[in-house]
PDB file of all heavy atoms in Angstrom:
ATOM      1  N   LEU A  72      31.602 -14.428 -49.775  1.00  0.00           N
ATOM      2  CA  LEU A  72      32.835 -14.655 -50.542  1.00  0.00           C
ATOM      3  C   LEU A  72      33.680 -15.757 -49.893  1.00  0.00           C
ATOM      4  O   LEU A  72      34.152 -16.676 -50.565  1.00  0.00           O
ATOM      5  CB  LEU A  72      33.624 -13.348 -50.597  1.00  0.00           C
ATOM      6  CG  LEU A  72      35.003 -13.419 -51.230  1.00  0.00           C
ATOM      7  CD1 LEU A  72      34.878 -13.427 -52.741  1.00  0.00           C
ATOM      8  CD2 LEU A  72      35.862 -12.251 -50.799  1.00  0.00           C
ATOM      9  N   LEU A  73      33.847 -15.661 -48.573  1.00  0.00           N
ATOM     10  CA  LEU A  73      34.669 -16.659 -47.868  1.00  0.00           C
ATOM     11  C   LEU A  73      34.029 -18.042 -48.002  1.00  0.00           C
ATOM     12  O   LEU A  73      34.710 -19.041 -48.211  1.00  0.00           O
ATOM     13  CB  LEU A  73      34.837 -16.288 -46.390  1.00  0.00           C
ATOM     14  CG  LEU A  73      35.543 -14.950 -46.111  1.00  0.00           C
ATOM     15  CD1 LEU A  73      35.573 -14.662 -44.613  1.00  0.00           C
ATOM     16  CD2 LEU A  73      36.969 -14.931 -46.673  1.00  0.00           C
ATOM     17  N   ASN A  74      32.704 -18.075 -47.915  1.00  0.00           N
ATOM     18  CA  ASN A  74      32.009 -19.361 -48.003  1.00  0.00           C
ATOM     19  C   ASN A  74      31.971 -19.916 -49.424  1.00  0.00           C
ATOM     20  O   ASN A  74      31.682 -21.081 -49.626  1.00  0.00           O
ATOM     21  CB  ASN A  74      30.602 -19.247 -47.418  1.00  0.00           C
ATOM     22  CG  ASN A  74      30.636 -19.174 -45.900  1.00  0.00           C
ATOM     23  OD1 ASN A  74      31.604 -19.628 -45.278  1.00  0.00           O
ATOM     24  ND2 ASN A  74      29.615 -18.596 -45.299  1.00  0.00           N
ATOM     25  N   LYS A  75      32.257 -19.056 -50.393  1.00  0.00           N
ATOM     26  CA  LYS A  75      32.266 -19.487 -51.787  1.00  0.00           C
ATOM     27  C   LYS A  75      33.524 -20.300 -52.121  1.00  0.00           C
ATOM     28  O   LYS A  75      33.557 -21.052 -53.092  1.00  0.00           O
ATOM     29  CB  LYS A  75      32.226 -18.239 -52.682  1.00  0.00           C
ATOM     30  CG  LYS A  75      31.427 -18.447 -53.959  1.00  0.00           C
ATOM     31  CD  LYS A  75      31.382 -17.181 -54.781  1.00  0.00           C
ATOM     32  CE  LYS A  75      30.071 -16.443 -54.625  1.00  0.00           C
ATOM     33  NZ  LYS A  75      30.077 -15.145 -55.307  1.00  0.00           N
ATOM     34  N   ALA A  76      34.573 -20.130 -51.318  1.00  0.00           N
ATOM     35  CA  ALA A  76      35.834 -20.829 -51.596  1.00  0.00           C
ATOM     36  C   ALA A  76      35.641 -22.340 -51.491  1.00  0.00           C
ATOM     37  O   ALA A  76      34.721 -22.814 -50.820  1.00  0.00           O
ATOM     38  CB  ALA A  76      36.911 -20.367 -50.613  1.00  0.00           C
ATOM     39  N   THR A  77      36.498 -23.071 -52.173  1.00  0.00           N
ATOM     40  CA  THR A  77      36.437 -24.534 -52.118  1.00  0.00           C
ATOM     41  C   THR A  77      37.047 -25.025 -50.811  1.00  0.00           C
ATOM     42  O   THR A  77      36.519 -25.919 -50.153  1.00  0.00           O
ATOM     43  CB  THR A  77      37.246 -25.142 -53.291  1.00  0.00           C
ATOM     44  OG1 THR A  77      37.119 -24.303 -54.424  1.00  0.00           O
ATOM     45  CG2 THR A  77      36.795 -26.555 -53.593  1.00  0.00           C
ATOM     46  N   TYR A  78      38.209 -24.444 -50.469  1.00  0.00           N
ATOM     47  CA  TYR A  78      38.910 -24.849 -49.247  1.00  0.00           C
ATOM     48  C   TYR A  78      39.209 -23.615 -48.408  1.00  0.00           C
ATOM     49  O   TYR A  78      39.932 -22.726 -48.850  1.00  0.00           O
ATOM     50  CB  TYR A  78      40.240 -25.534 -49.592  1.00  0.00           C
ATOM     51  CG  TYR A  78      40.103 -26.658 -50.595  1.00  0.00           C
ATOM     52  CD1 TYR A  78      40.580 -26.504 -51.897  1.00  0.00           C
ATOM     53  CD2 TYR A  78      39.490 -27.854 -50.249  1.00  0.00           C
ATOM     54  CE1 TYR A  78      40.456 -27.526 -52.839  1.00  0.00           C
ATOM     55  CE2 TYR A  78      39.356 -28.887 -51.181  1.00  0.00           C
ATOM     56  CZ  TYR A  78      39.835 -28.704 -52.468  1.00  0.00           C
ATOM     57  OH  TYR A  78      39.705 -29.709 -53.394  1.00  0.00           O
ATOM     58  N   GLN A  79      38.631 -23.566 -47.200  1.00  0.00           N
ATOM     59  CA  GLN A  79      38.926 -22.470 -46.265  1.00  0.00           C
ATOM     60  C   GLN A  79      39.926 -23.041 -45.273  1.00  0.00           C
ATOM     61  O   GLN A  79      39.565 -23.892 -44.457  1.00  0.00           O
ATOM     62  CB  GLN A  79      37.666 -22.018 -45.532  1.00  0.00           C
ATOM     63  CG  GLN A  79      36.609 -21.352 -46.402  1.00  0.00           C
ATOM     64  CD  GLN A  79      35.661 -22.322 -47.069  1.00  0.00           C
ATOM     65  OE1 GLN A  79      35.816 -23.534 -46.995  1.00  0.00           O
ATOM     66  NE2 GLN A  79      34.645 -21.807 -47.744  1.00  0.00           N
ATOM     67  N   ILE A  80      41.174 -22.624 -45.361  1.00  0.00           N
ATOM     68  CA  ILE A  80      42.175 -23.252 -44.491  1.00  0.00           C
ATOM     69  C   ILE A  80      42.261 -22.538 -43.141  1.00  0.00           C
ATOM     70  O   ILE A  80      42.155 -21.316 -43.060  1.00  0.00           O
ATOM     71  CB  ILE A  80      43.561 -23.331 -45.181  1.00  0.00           C
ATOM     72  CG1 ILE A  80      44.066 -21.952 -45.626  1.00  0.00           C
ATOM     73  CG2 ILE A  80      43.509 -24.290 -46.377  1.00  0.00           C
ATOM     74  CD1 ILE A  80      45.461 -21.974 -46.221  1.00  0.00           C
ATOM     75  N   PRO A  81      42.436 -23.308 -42.054  1.00  0.00           N
ATOM     76  CA  PRO A  81      42.481 -22.724 -40.709  1.00  0.00           C
ATOM     77  C   PRO A  81      43.835 -22.088 -40.410  1.00  0.00           C
ATOM     78  O   PRO A  81      44.729 -22.727 -39.887  1.00  0.00           O
ATOM     79  CB  PRO A  81      42.219 -23.923 -39.791  1.00  0.00           C
ATOM     80  CG  PRO A  81      42.650 -25.127 -40.570  1.00  0.00           C
ATOM     81  CD  PRO A  81      42.510 -24.782 -42.031  1.00  0.00           C
ATOM     82  N   ASP A  82      43.974 -20.826 -40.781  1.00  0.00           N
ATOM     83  CA  ASP A  82      45.234 -20.106 -40.626  1.00  0.00           C
ATOM     84  C   ASP A  82      45.167 -19.346 -39.311  1.00  0.00           C
ATOM     85  O   ASP A  82      44.453 -18.369 -39.197  1.00  0.00           O
ATOM     86  CB  ASP A  82      45.382 -19.134 -41.813  1.00  0.00           C
ATOM     87  CG  ASP A  82      46.731 -18.453 -41.838  1.00  0.00           C
ATOM     88  OD1 ASP A  82      47.494 -18.593 -40.867  1.00  0.00           O
ATOM     89  OD2 ASP A  82      47.020 -17.777 -42.831  1.00  0.00           O
ATOM     90  N   GLY A  83      45.911 -19.805 -38.330  1.00  0.00           N
ATOM     91  CA  GLY A  83      45.902 -19.070 -37.054  1.00  0.00           C
ATOM     92  C   GLY A  83      45.386 -19.929 -35.933  1.00  0.00           C
ATOM     93  O   GLY A  83      44.451 -20.710 -36.097  1.00  0.00           O
ATOM     94  N   VAL A  84      46.008 -19.723 -34.798  1.00  0.00           N
ATOM     95  CA  VAL A  84      45.730 -20.548 -33.638  1.00  0.00           C
ATOM     96  C   VAL A  84      44.316 -20.272 -33.105  1.00  0.00           C
ATOM     97  O   VAL A  84      43.683 -21.140 -32.514  1.00  0.00           O
ATOM     98  CB  VAL A  84      46.854 -20.323 -32.581  1.00  0.00           C
ATOM     99  CG1 VAL A  84      46.693 -18.994 -31.877  1.00  0.00           C
ATOM    100  CG2 VAL A  84      46.931 -21.471 -31.599  1.00  0.00           C
ATOM    101  N   GLY A  85      43.784 -19.074 -33.389  1.00  0.00           N
ATOM    102  CA  GLY A  85      42.449 -18.711 -32.920  1.00  0.00           C
ATOM    103  C   GLY A  85      41.380 -19.659 -33.455  1.00  0.00           C
ATOM    104  O   GLY A  85      40.434 -20.011 -32.747  1.00  0.00           O
ATOM    105  N   VAL A  86      41.524 -20.086 -34.696  1.00  0.00           N
ATOM    106  CA  VAL A  86      40.544 -20.988 -35.305  1.00  0.00           C
ATOM    107  C   VAL A  86      40.633 -22.374 -34.648  1.00  0.00           C
ATOM    108  O   VAL A  86      39.620 -23.038 -34.425  1.00  0.00           O
ATOM    109  CB  VAL A  86      40.739 -21.077 -36.840  1.00  0.00           C
ATOM    110  CG1 VAL A  86      39.700 -21.984 -37.463  1.00  0.00           C
ATOM    111  CG2 VAL A  86      40.671 -19.696 -37.480  1.00  0.00           C
ATOM    112  N   LEU A  87      41.857 -22.781 -34.298  1.00  0.00           N
ATOM    113  CA  LEU A  87      42.034 -24.063 -33.602  1.00  0.00           C
ATOM    114  C   LEU A  87      41.352 -24.036 -32.239  1.00  0.00           C
ATOM    115  O   LEU A  87      40.682 -24.995 -31.840  1.00  0.00           O
ATOM    116  CB  LEU A  87      43.529 -24.323 -33.387  1.00  0.00           C
ATOM    117  CG  LEU A  87      44.158 -25.377 -34.279  1.00  0.00           C
ATOM    118  CD1 LEU A  87      44.154 -24.908 -35.712  1.00  0.00           C
ATOM    119  CD2 LEU A  87      45.581 -25.667 -33.846  1.00  0.00           C
ATOM    120  N   LEU A  88      41.533 -22.924 -31.527  1.00  0.00           N
ATOM    121  CA  LEU A  88      40.916 -22.795 -30.199  1.00  0.00           C
ATOM    122  C   LEU A  88      39.394 -22.815 -30.329  1.00  0.00           C
ATOM    123  O   LEU A  88      38.705 -23.446 -29.535  1.00  0.00           O
ATOM    124  CB  LEU A  88      41.370 -21.495 -29.524  1.00  0.00           C
ATOM    125  CG  LEU A  88      42.852 -21.445 -29.118  1.00  0.00           C
ATOM    126  CD1 LEU A  88      43.221 -20.045 -28.617  1.00  0.00           C
ATOM    127  CD2 LEU A  88      43.164 -22.483 -28.034  1.00  0.00           C
ATOM    128  N   ALA A  89      38.889 -22.147 -31.358  1.00  0.00           N
ATOM    129  CA  ALA A  89      37.438 -22.108 -31.567  1.00  0.00           C
ATOM    130  C   ALA A  89      36.916 -23.512 -31.854  1.00  0.00           C
ATOM    131  O   ALA A  89      35.854 -23.905 -31.367  1.00  0.00           O
ATOM    132  CB  ALA A  89      37.109 -21.163 -32.726  1.00  0.00           C
TER     133      ALA A  89
END
Side-chain angles (χ1 to χ4, degrees):
L72 174 79
L73 299 177
N74 286 337
K75 215 178 259 174
T77 325
Y78 308 109
Q79 293 86 354
I80 57 176
D82 187 351
V84 75
V86 181
L87 254 66
L88 292 173

